[in-house]
Amino acid sequence: MPSHNSVPVMKPAAPGPKRGSRKLLGLVMVFFITLFLILFFQSSISKISEIRIEGNELVPADEITLTSGVVAGDNFFTLRTGQVHDRVKQHPFIEAVEVSKSFPGVLKVKVREYRRVAFQLAADGTKEVLLADGSALPVAGQAANVPLDMPILSGWLPDNPLKVKLCAALAQVPSQYLSDISEIRPDPSSAYEDKIKLYTRSMYEVYTTIEYLPGNMEYLGFVTSELGERGKTSGVITMLEQIRHSSFEAEKAGQKESAGNSGPASNSPVQSSRQGNGT
């Protein structure tokens, strides 16, 4: 009986998705993504909600915020920190600025003010704090909380360029070396145009120059300590080319004998030169 070979019948392939359907699906996805982005950028989560000011002691936070040009509600993502940095850096009392953003909605502005180095009395008698660059800030508002633990500058004309130079020199002196200085006055001479006179809380008067000031302040404590061990708890200390000490009486007598001398009369050498250690 003859055998018959049978060929299985192949089912027709299911029709694939039409090209038009894929295109429609893509358009729907783009629509929802666009809608999501619009809603996101219009929501509060994409806006500046807090501006943090750090490091300020003299300049009020509100003033720094105003200088930055940023307000709550500005777009978080389009805000350029570089522009904020440049605006705040233009403030006359701010030396350095760091600006950063943290999601969601926080702008952080960290400032470093010019170091405060001294005080002075304004023409109306109010106190002003002097910064390292010579700028003067009234002791009012937030600055009123700054401790008055720095020298007072007296007898300086407002336009005296040496006052700016003095402020820069004081900024080079560590704060602990200035704690004993109560007042600084100009005392120019023919030999030393930038000569100054310092009054200390430990009852000494000190003559030096603005140029020598940063180096001499490190030695002044050693000098006064040595003088105290000798029983000389007051008097005049000359810190020019040499460091010498004289009593107030000898100083007055020397001034009468030699008017116009470049430095006060001295009769007790403390050290032979400025390069010594004062002990």
mmCIF file of all heavy atoms in Angstrom, residues 70-92:
data_model
loop_
_atom_site.group_PDB
_atom_site.id
_atom_site.type_symbol
_atom_site.label_atom_id
_atom_site.label_comp_id
_atom_site.label_asym_id
_atom_site.label_seq_id
_atom_site.Cartn_x
_atom_site.Cartn_y
_atom_site.Cartn_z
ATOM 1 N N VAL A 70 20.444 87.543 44.118
ATOM 2 C CA VAL A 70 19.601 86.343 44.104
ATOM 3 C C VAL A 70 18.467 86.521 45.103
ATOM 4 O O VAL A 70 18.666 87.029 46.205
ATOM 5 C CB VAL A 70 20.419 85.088 44.472
ATOM 6 C CG1 VAL A 70 19.540 83.846 44.408
ATOM 7 C CG2 VAL A 70 21.605 84.942 43.531
ATOM 8 N N VAL A 71 17.275 86.083 44.716
ATOM 9 C CA VAL A 71 16.124 86.117 45.609
ATOM 10 C C VAL A 71 15.478 84.735 45.607
ATOM 11 O O VAL A 71 15.640 83.948 44.654
ATOM 12 C CB VAL A 71 15.091 87.187 45.182
ATOM 13 C CG1 VAL A 71 15.679 88.582 45.275
ATOM 14 C CG2 VAL A 71 14.580 86.918 43.771
ATOM 15 N N ALA A 72 14.770 84.445 46.686
ATOM 16 C CA ALA A 72 14.042 83.183 46.758
ATOM 17 C C ALA A 72 13.035 83.130 45.620
ATOM 18 O O ALA A 72 12.314 84.090 45.344
ATOM 19 C CB ALA A 72 13.343 83.069 48.104
ATOM 20 N N GLY A 73 13.024 81.990 44.951
ATOM 21 C CA GLY A 73 12.139 81.830 43.795
ATOM 22 C C GLY A 73 12.873 81.824 42.482
ATOM 23 O O GLY A 73 12.308 81.433 41.452
ATOM 24 N N ASP A 74 14.132 82.260 42.470
ATOM 25 C CA ASP A 74 14.927 82.170 41.244
ATOM 26 C C ASP A 74 15.128 80.705 40.863
ATOM 27 O O ASP A 74 15.175 79.814 41.722
ATOM 28 C CB ASP A 74 16.288 82.850 41.437
ATOM 29 C CG ASP A 74 16.184 84.368 41.433
ATOM 30 O OD1 ASP A 74 15.093 84.880 41.100
ATOM 31 O OD2 ASP A 74 17.171 85.043 41.778
ATOM 32 N N ASN A 75 15.295 80.449 39.571
ATOM 33 C CA ASN A 75 15.459 79.085 39.103
ATOM 34 C C ASN A 75 16.780 78.498 39.605
ATOM 35 O O ASN A 75 17.842 79.087 39.431
ATOM 36 C CB ASN A 75 15.403 79.033 37.574
ATOM 37 C CG ASN A 75 15.312 77.609 37.060
ATOM 38 O OD1 ASN A 75 16.277 76.876 37.032
ATOM 39 N ND2 ASN A 75 14.103 77.217 36.649
ATOM 40 N N PHE A 76 16.701 77.337 40.233
ATOM 41 C CA PHE A 76 17.875 76.685 40.812
ATOM 42 C C PHE A 76 18.856 76.234 39.737
ATOM 43 O O PHE A 76 20.071 76.347 39.901
ATOM 44 C CB PHE A 76 17.430 75.488 41.664
ATOM 45 C CG PHE A 76 18.545 74.699 42.273
ATOM 46 C CD1 PHE A 76 19.110 75.073 43.480
ATOM 47 C CD2 PHE A 76 19.046 73.573 41.635
ATOM 48 C CE1 PHE A 76 20.156 74.350 44.032
ATOM 49 C CE2 PHE A 76 20.080 72.844 42.178
ATOM 50 C CZ PHE A 76 20.639 73.224 43.390
ATOM 51 N N PHE A 77 18.333 75.723 38.631
ATOM 52 C CA PHE A 77 19.194 75.087 37.633
ATOM 53 C C PHE A 77 19.858 76.104 36.707
ATOM 54 O O PHE A 77 20.963 75.862 36.203
ATOM 55 C CB PHE A 77 18.392 74.062 36.828
ATOM 56 C CG PHE A 77 17.871 72.937 37.668
ATOM 57 C CD1 PHE A 77 16.560 72.942 38.106
ATOM 58 C CD2 PHE A 77 18.693 71.887 38.033
ATOM 59 C CE1 PHE A 77 16.071 71.906 38.895
ATOM 60 C CE2 PHE A 77 18.214 70.849 38.817
ATOM 61 C CZ PHE A 77 16.902 70.858 39.266
ATOM 62 N N THR A 78 19.208 77.218 36.442
ATOM 63 C CA THR A 78 19.791 78.204 35.535
ATOM 64 C C THR A 78 20.668 79.227 36.270
ATOM 65 O O THR A 78 21.348 80.013 35.621
ATOM 66 C CB THR A 78 18.682 78.938 34.768
ATOM 67 O OG1 THR A 78 17.810 79.593 35.703
ATOM 68 C CG2 THR A 78 17.881 77.965 33.918
ATOM 69 N N LEU A 79 20.637 79.216 37.608
ATOM 70 C CA LEU A 79 21.455 80.160 38.374
ATOM 71 C C LEU A 79 22.933 79.823 38.233
ATOM 72 O O LEU A 79 23.341 78.683 38.463
ATOM 73 C CB LEU A 79 21.049 80.115 39.851
ATOM 74 C CG LEU A 79 21.823 81.052 40.783
ATOM 75 C CD1 LEU A 79 21.490 82.510 40.475
ATOM 76 C CD2 LEU A 79 21.525 80.736 42.238
ATOM 77 N N ARG A 80 23.729 80.804 37.858
ATOM 78 C CA ARG A 80 25.167 80.608 37.668
ATOM 79 C C ARG A 80 25.918 81.078 38.914
ATOM 80 O O ARG A 80 25.888 82.263 39.265
ATOM 81 C CB ARG A 80 25.653 81.364 36.439
ATOM 82 C CG ARG A 80 25.044 80.864 35.133
ATOM 83 C CD ARG A 80 25.625 81.591 33.939
ATOM 84 N NE ARG A 80 25.065 81.109 32.680
ATOM 85 C CZ ARG A 80 25.409 81.572 31.479
ATOM 86 N NH1 ARG A 80 26.308 82.551 31.397
ATOM 87 N NH2 ARG A 80 24.859 81.075 30.394
ATOM 88 N N THR A 81 26.591 80.147 39.576
ATOM 89 C CA THR A 81 27.309 80.480 40.809
ATOM 90 C C THR A 81 28.475 81.432 40.547
ATOM 91 O O THR A 81 28.844 82.215 41.409
ATOM 92 C CB THR A 81 27.836 79.202 41.479
ATOM 93 O OG1 THR A 81 28.661 78.480 40.555
ATOM 94 C CG2 THR A 81 26.682 78.309 41.922
ATOM 95 N N GLY A 82 29.042 81.363 39.350
ATOM 96 C CA GLY A 82 30.149 82.264 39.024
ATOM 97 C C GLY A 82 29.729 83.721 39.029
ATOM 98 O O GLY A 82 30.466 84.595 39.489
ATOM 99 N N GLN A 83 28.526 83.985 38.521
ATOM 100 C CA GLN A 83 28.024 85.355 38.515
ATOM 101 C C GLN A 83 27.744 85.840 39.932
ATOM 102 O O GLN A 83 28.020 86.996 40.270
ATOM 103 C CB GLN A 83 26.763 85.435 37.659
ATOM 104 C CG GLN A 83 26.996 85.224 36.166
ATOM 105 C CD GLN A 83 25.716 85.329 35.366
ATOM 106 O OE1 GLN A 83 24.613 85.305 35.911
ATOM 107 N NE2 GLN A 83 25.855 85.449 34.039
ATOM 108 N N VAL A 84 27.209 84.962 40.769
ATOM 109 C CA VAL A 84 26.969 85.325 42.170
ATOM 110 C C VAL A 84 28.293 85.631 42.864
ATOM 111 O O VAL A 84 28.411 86.608 43.615
ATOM 112 C CB VAL A 84 26.218 84.191 42.897
ATOM 113 C CG1 VAL A 84 26.019 84.540 44.369
ATOM 114 C CG2 VAL A 84 24.878 83.928 42.229
ATOM 115 N N HIS A 85 29.292 84.820 42.613
ATOM 116 C CA HIS A 85 30.621 85.045 43.185
ATOM 117 C C HIS A 85 31.153 86.417 42.814
ATOM 118 O O HIS A 85 31.653 87.167 43.675
ATOM 119 C CB HIS A 85 31.574 83.950 42.704
ATOM 120 C CG HIS A 85 33.006 84.192 43.044
ATOM 121 N ND1 HIS A 85 33.831 85.028 42.301
ATOM 122 C CD2 HIS A 85 33.778 83.742 44.070
ATOM 123 C CE1 HIS A 85 35.024 85.061 42.837
ATOM 124 N NE2 HIS A 85 35.025 84.293 43.910
ATOM 125 N N ASP A 86 31.067 86.759 41.542
ATOM 126 C CA ASP A 86 31.623 88.034 41.081
ATOM 127 C C ASP A 86 30.900 89.226 41.708
ATOM 128 O O ASP A 86 31.528 90.235 42.028
ATOM 129 C CB ASP A 86 31.540 88.107 39.553
ATOM 130 C CG ASP A 86 32.453 87.093 38.873
ATOM 131 O OD1 ASP A 86 33.368 86.581 39.546
ATOM 132 O OD2 ASP A 86 32.233 86.803 37.679
ATOM 133 N N ARG A 87 29.585 89.104 41.881
ATOM 134 C CA ARG A 87 28.833 90.211 42.477
ATOM 135 C C ARG A 87 29.223 90.414 43.937
ATOM 136 O O ARG A 87 29.480 91.539 44.375
ATOM 137 C CB ARG A 87 27.332 89.940 42.367
ATOM 138 C CG ARG A 87 26.785 89.901 40.944
ATOM 139 C CD ARG A 87 25.266 89.897 40.967
ATOM 140 N NE ARG A 87 24.704 89.443 39.700
ATOM 141 C CZ ARG A 87 24.094 88.275 39.526
ATOM 142 N NH1 ARG A 87 23.959 87.459 40.551
ATOM 143 N NH2 ARG A 87 23.602 87.943 38.343
ATOM 144 N N VAL A 88 29.254 89.325 44.700
ATOM 145 C CA VAL A 88 29.561 89.436 46.129
ATOM 146 C C VAL A 88 31.006 89.887 46.332
ATOM 147 O O VAL A 88 31.305 90.652 47.253
ATOM 148 C CB VAL A 88 29.299 88.091 46.841
ATOM 149 C CG1 VAL A 88 29.683 88.162 48.311
ATOM 150 C CG2 VAL A 88 27.830 87.700 46.707
ATOM 151 N N LYS A 89 31.910 89.446 45.460
ATOM 152 C CA LYS A 89 33.328 89.793 45.596
ATOM 153 C C LYS A 89 33.555 91.291 45.436
ATOM 154 O O LYS A 89 34.560 91.832 45.908
ATOM 155 C CB LYS A 89 34.142 89.033 44.545
ATOM 156 C CG LYS A 89 35.661 89.240 44.636
ATOM 157 C CD LYS A 89 36.216 88.644 45.912
ATOM 158 C CE LYS A 89 37.742 88.717 45.924
ATOM 159 N NZ LYS A 89 38.266 90.089 45.823
ATOM 160 N N GLN A 90 32.616 91.983 44.793
ATOM 161 C CA GLN A 90 32.751 93.423 44.591
ATOM 162 C C GLN A 90 32.476 94.218 45.870
ATOM 163 O O GLN A 90 32.768 95.415 45.921
ATOM 164 C CB GLN A 90 31.805 93.887 43.482
ATOM 165 C CG GLN A 90 32.177 93.379 42.100
ATOM 166 C CD GLN A 90 31.176 93.804 41.036
ATOM 167 O OE1 GLN A 90 30.179 94.448 41.330
ATOM 168 N NE2 GLN A 90 31.447 93.446 39.787
ATOM 169 N N HIS A 91 31.940 93.573 46.898
ATOM 170 C CA HIS A 91 31.674 94.285 48.152
ATOM 171 C C HIS A 91 32.999 94.743 48.758
ATOM 172 O O HIS A 91 33.949 93.951 48.855
ATOM 173 C CB HIS A 91 30.930 93.377 49.138
ATOM 174 C CG HIS A 91 30.311 94.108 50.280
ATOM 175 N ND1 HIS A 91 31.068 94.636 51.309
ATOM 176 C CD2 HIS A 91 29.027 94.439 50.560
ATOM 177 C CE1 HIS A 91 30.276 95.230 52.178
ATOM 178 N NE2 HIS A 91 29.028 95.134 51.755
ATOM 179 N N PRO A 92 33.115 96.002 49.175
ATOM 180 C CA PRO A 92 34.418 96.527 49.622
ATOM 181 C C PRO A 92 34.970 95.876 50.883
ATOM 182 O O PRO A 92 36.173 95.974 51.142
ATOM 183 C CB PRO A 92 34.126 98.013 49.872
ATOM 184 C CG PRO A 92 32.647 98.092 50.067
ATOM 185 C CD PRO A 92 32.064 97.027 49.200
#
